C-alpha cells in the first residue's frame, strides 16, 4: 500500500471522518487486520477560518504549503486536502511539492459524469458556492450548475461555521438542508453536490428527493483506491 498524507484540521470533525472512512474502505478490500498507512497533520483552524481578503488567502497558502512539504518530507507519497474550501489553494500547494494531490472536485466531477448527471446544485461554504475554482472542475465534466442563491449561501455559511465545524448537529439544520434541497429540485437540479466535508452530518445522503454526491465519501473512496494502487472508481 502507498502512504497518503492528509492535510486536516479543517475542521477536526471532518478529519476524523476521513480517517475512519479511508480505513474502513481499505480494510474491506484487504486482510482483516489491515490499516491504511496515513500521515495526518491537523492544522489549527483558527488560522484558516472564514477567509475573505487576498492577503488572508496568501497567508493560508503558506500554511498549507508548509504542511504539504512537511508531510512529503515525512514520507507521504501522495496528499489530500481534507476540506472543499481549501481547494481554492490547490494550485499553489501542488506546485510546491513533488507528489500528487487528489483534487476533491475532480473526483466529484468524475463520479457525476459516470452517473450521467447533467445538472446539479452545489452546496457548501460561501467561496465554494460563489467562486469559480470549484465550479469549473465540475463544469469541465459536463455538469450544468444552478446559480447560487445568496440567501442559501448565508444560511449554509452560518450552519457550517457556527455549528457543524464544532461538532454541533441540530434538527433545525437538518430541516433547513431538506428545504434547500427540495427547492433546488423545484428549480431544476437533477442532483445535489455536498461540497462541504461536514454537510453529511445533517443530510441523509442515501435517502433524499435528489441523488446526493457527497464530496467527503467520494474523496475518501478515491483516497482508498489510491492507497491500494487501484483505479479510482466513485
Amino acid at each position: 500500500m502507498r502512504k497518503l498524507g492528509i492535510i486536516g484540521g479543517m475542521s477536526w470533525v471532518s478529519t476524523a471522518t476521513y480517517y475512519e472512512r479511508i480505513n474502513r474502505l481499505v480494510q474491506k478490500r484487504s486482510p482483516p487486520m489491515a490499516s491504511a498507512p496515513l500521515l495526518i497533520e491537523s492544522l489549527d483552524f483558527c488560522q484558516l477560518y472564514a477567509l475573505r481578503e487576498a492577503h488572508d488567502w496568501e497567508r493560508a497558502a503558506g500554511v498549507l504549503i508548509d504542511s504539504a512539504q512537511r508531510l512529503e518530507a515525512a514520507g507521504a507519497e501522495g496528499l489530500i486536502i481534507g476540506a472543499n474550501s481549501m481547494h481554492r489553494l490547490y494550485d499553489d500547494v501542488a506546485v510546491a511539492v513533488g507528489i500528487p494531490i487528489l483534487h476533491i472536485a475532480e473526483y466529484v466531477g468524475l463520479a457525476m459524469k459516470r452517473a450521467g448527471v447533467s445538472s446539479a446544485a452545489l452546496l457548501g461554504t460561501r467561496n465554494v458556492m460563489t467562486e469559480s475554482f470549484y465550479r469549473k472542475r465540475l463544469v469541465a465534466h459536463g455538469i450544468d450548475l444552478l446559480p447560487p442563491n445568496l440567501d442559501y449561501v448565508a444560511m449554509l455559511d452560518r450552519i457550517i461555521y457556527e455549528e457543524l465545524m464544532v461538532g454541533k448537529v441540530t434538527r433545525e439544520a437538518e430541516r433547513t438542508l431538506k428545504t434547500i434541497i427540495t427547492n433546488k429540485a423545484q428549480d431544476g437540479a437533477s442532483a445535489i453536490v455536498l461540497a462541504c466535508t461536514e454537510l453529511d452530518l445533517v443530510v441523509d445522503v442515501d435517502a433524499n428527493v435528489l441523488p446526493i454526491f457527497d464530496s467527503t465519501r467520494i474523496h475518501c473512496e478515491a483516497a482508498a483506491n489510491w492507497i491500494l494502487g487501484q483505479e479510482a472508481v466513485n
Side-chain angles (χ1 to χ4, degrees), residues 159 163-164 169-178 202:
I159 290 170
E163 298 180 13
L164 302 182
V169 177
T170 67
R171 291 298 300 272
E172 181 182 356
E174 292 173 350
R175 287 192 292 267
T176 298
L177 266 295
K178 193 168 187 178
V202 290

Side-chain angles (χ1 to χ4, degrees), residues 109-138:
L110 285 169
M112 298 176 79
K113 184 177 181 179
R114 291 191 185 104
V117 174
S118 58
S119 66
L122 184 63
L123 303 184
T125 57
R126 183 178 301 275
N127 72 318
V128 168
M129 292 179 69
T130 62
E131 298 180 26
S132 65
F133 72 94
Y134 200 101
R135 301 176 72 88
K136 68 182 181 182
R137 291 269 182 171
L138 303 184

Side-chain angles (χ1 to χ4, degrees), residues 35-220:
S35 300
L38 300 171
L39 293 172
I40 302 173
E41 179 160 57
S42 186
L43 300 175
D44 178 6
F45 195 51
C46 284
Q47 302 179 57
L48 303 164
Y49 167 75
L51 305 175
R52 293 286 188 268
E53 304 298 327
H55 65 85
D56 292 328
W57 283 106
E58 290 171 7
R59 176 178 52 78
V63 172
L64 264 67
I65 287 169
D66 288 346
S67 179
Q69 291 176 339
R70 283 192 294 269
L71 288 167
E72 182 179 24
E77 299 168 80
L79 295 171
I80 59 173
I81 300 170
N84 285 272
S85 60
M86 286 299 146
H87 279 73
R88 188 182 196 269
L89 304 171
Y90 175 90
D91 292 339
D92 296 317
V93 180
V95 300
V97 293
I99 54 178
I101 305 178
L102 283 60
H103 196 298
I104 192 168
E106 188 66 23
Y107 287 100
V108 172
L110 285 169
M112 298 176 79
K113 184 177 181 179
R114 291 191 185 104
V117 174
S118 58
S119 66
L122 184 63
L123 303 184
T125 57
R126 183 178 301 275
N127 72 318
V128 168
M129 292 179 69
T130 62
E131 298 180 26
S132 65
F133 72 94
Y134 200 101
R135 301 176 72 88
K136 68 182 181 182
R137 291 269 182 171
L138 303 184
V139 171
H141 289 287
I143 312 301
D144 181 23
L145 293 172
L146 270 63
N149 178 310
L150 295 182
D151 289 335
Y152 293 162
V153 169
M155 289 180 195
L156 288 167
D157 239 29
R158 184 194 63 77
I159 290 170
I160 291 166
Y161 284 116
E162 296 181 14
E163 298 180 13
L164 302 182
M165 286 189 173
V166 295
K168 181 181 179 182
V169 177
T170 67
R171 291 298 300 272
E172 181 182 356
E174 292 173 350
R175 287 192 292 267
T176 298
L177 266 295
K178 193 168 187 178
T179 298
I180 290 173
I181 291 170
T182 299
N183 290 343
K184 290 296 184 182
Q186 293 171 351
D187 290 341
S190 59
I192 296 291
V193 179
L194 293 187
C196 168
T197 50
E198 292 88 4
L199 275 178
D200 66 349
L201 295 172
V202 290
V203 174
D204 188 342
V205 174
D206 299 312
N208 222 295
V209 295
L210 289 174
I212 305 291
F213 289 82
D214 179 4
S215 62
T216 312
R217 289 191 182 189
I218 293 169
H219 209 197
C220 289

